[in-house]
Amino acid sequence: MSHQSFDTRIVHNKINQGDALNSKSTPIYQTSSFTFKDLDHLESYYAGEASFSYSREKNPNTEELGQTVANLEGAEAGVAASSGTSAILAGILSVVQAGDHIVAAEDLYGGTHHLITKELTSFGFEVSIVSFADKKKVEEAIQPNTKLLYTESVSNPFLRVEDLEGLVSLAKEHDLYTMVDNTFATPYLLQPYKKGIDIVVHSATKYIGGHSDVTSGIVVGNEELMAKAKQKVSALGANLSAFEAWLTQRGVKTLGLRMKQQSANAQTLAESLQQDELVDQVFYPEYVSEQGHGAIVTIELSKKVDIEQFFRSLGWIKLTPTLGGLETTVSYPIRTSHRALTDEERALIGVNDYVIRLSIGIEESADIIAQFKEAIHESVKENSQK
Ligand SMILES: *Cc1c(COP(=O)(O)O)cnc(C)c1O
């Protein structure tokens, strides 16, 4: 293969599904099921020969998307699901059963934290939430029935970069599975599977899709685990629709271009805000990869800034509880992603009224900086001096 680099592979990722008309783009297989010409043909599906039968189980568009992301991650197989959340659930259920114990990082995405601590525990799973910044704490939490260590490669909202090598060696010592949410880093920056992580998951709603027009998720790993994950997706009805798989596939083709620009913009903004006296703290990873350090910047504004006024002064930058789109947007963790947490849990992580998460887009860097500076400086409380 002469097409080995990321950007080359990503645009040549059409998987030939036997399209008789040789279409350039993969058609949308907007069909609930596939037909069989006779009973032998039907039997051949169960023997693994005929490819498709019922879209909840398998559809050409969802297959193509799963394989594309697996290819970008360097993994054997990938499964598309109806959301990042359902991909996370399918990944977890492919290695854990009721009665088993999961050790998960304390600084997870809010929805994942809820899924693991509230939903899974109600089905009889046991869970410990600990700081993964200190691998001793992770080791101390391991019990005889522990099966899985779960974390994020770059955490939300403070962008802690996980020590994946350390995690893999700890898991090997104790014969555990590892699972990493790689949503913030994307396979453009990091490929945790290549570092020995068993299961890698994405909310494709974010950078993989990249255009804020689809809710979808992908889980990747080896053939054996992904066969289980695929069975869970189908059995739980968590399948992605053909059209949303197609949209996500269309989006992922520009992942490299987008991440290049968005990461560079984010780094420039982070450096600029570090110099601003009205920004108390800037959280931006020192190092994620040679390709860049990601497109999220989290800031803690000075107490001199009126937060309500700041959100009203953002001009073309919109407030939205998501990230990873083409446009620069902001989110307010305390009222969105971390809303369900108790005050105590939030304090532990460091989410407070002044913490704002910035998702940096592909716009001109100088425009982004100017708009943030304007919003911050227009929002100084009247009774405080600059
Ligand atoms: C958004 C997000 C999720 C959940 O994904 P959905 O597609 O909304 O279900 C999980 N993990 C991270 C890091 C996210 O940003």
Side-chain angles (χ1 to χ4, degrees), residues 80 110 140 153 172 208 269 275 284 331:
E140 280 163 20
S153 51
K172 283 216 172 104
I208 299 270
L269 177 72
Q275 309 301 321
Y284 189 68
S331 91

Side-chain angles (χ1 to χ4, degrees), residues 302-322:
S302 157
K303 310 261 177 311
K304 291 178 189 158
V305 176
D306 178 334
I307 292 295
E308 312 251 340
Q309 186 56 37
F310 168 77
F311 283 115
R312 278 192 293 265
S313 308
L314 279 165
W316 52 267
I317 298 173
K318 299 289 182 263
L319 169 64
T320 177
T322 190

Side-chain angles (χ1 to χ4, degrees), residues 82-86 88 108-109 111-112 150 152 154 156 181-184 201-206 214-217 321-323 357:
S82 58
S83 64
T85 306
S86 55
I88 291 166
L108 295 179
Y109 172 77
T112 309
Y150 185 99
E152 294 172 1
V154 178
N156 177 37
D181 182 329
N182 199 30
T183 300
F184 275 37
V201 70
H202 284 278
S203 170
T205 311
K206 316 294 168 50
V214 69
T215 299
S216 64
T322 190
L323 63 114
R357 191 188 68 197

Side-chain angles (χ1 to χ4, degrees), residues 112-242:
T112 309
H113 187 276
H114 174 87
L115 174 73
I116 291 178
T117 61
K118 304 288 179 344
E119 305 296 339
L120 288 182
T121 52
S122 80
F123 286 109
F125 293 77
E126 292 175 28
V127 173
S128 297
I129 300 288
V130 299
S131 163
F132 271 48
D134 182 356
K135 292 292 176 291
K136 278 206 197 80
K137 294 222 173 93
V138 180
E139 186 155 33
E140 280 163 20
I142 295 171
Q143 302 174 8
N145 62 338
T146 304
K147 286 280 156 59
L148 175 67
L149 305 180
Y150 185 99
T151 186
E152 294 172 1
S153 51
V154 178
S155 76
N156 177 37
F158 293 112
L159 313 168
R160 183 180 65 83
V161 181
E162 187 59 80
D163 166 19
L164 296 174
E165 286 85 357
L167 193 69
V168 167
S169 69
L170 180 64
K172 283 216 172 104
E173 257 173 61
H174 296 268
D175 199 18
L176 305 174
Y177 287 107
T178 48
M179 180 164 168
V180 164
D181 182 329
N182 199 30
T183 300
F184 275 37
T186 81
Y188 179 70
L189 299 181
L190 264 192
Q191 293 138 21
Y193 184 83
K194 288 191 182 163
K195 294 181 188 276
I197 297 295
D198 297 303
I199 303 173
V200 178
V201 70
H202 284 278
S203 170
T205 311
K206 316 294 168 50
Y207 295 104
I208 299 270
H211 294 70
S212 314
D213 52 9
V214 69
T215 299
S216 64
I218 318 278
V219 54
V220 309
N222 69 22
E223 294 281 0
E224 184 199 343
L225 292 183
M226 289 309 101
K228 288 184 187 165
K230 184 178 276 185
Q231 189 269 330
K232 297 297 175 197
V233 164
S234 170
L236 298 172
N239 56 295
L240 184 63
S241 74

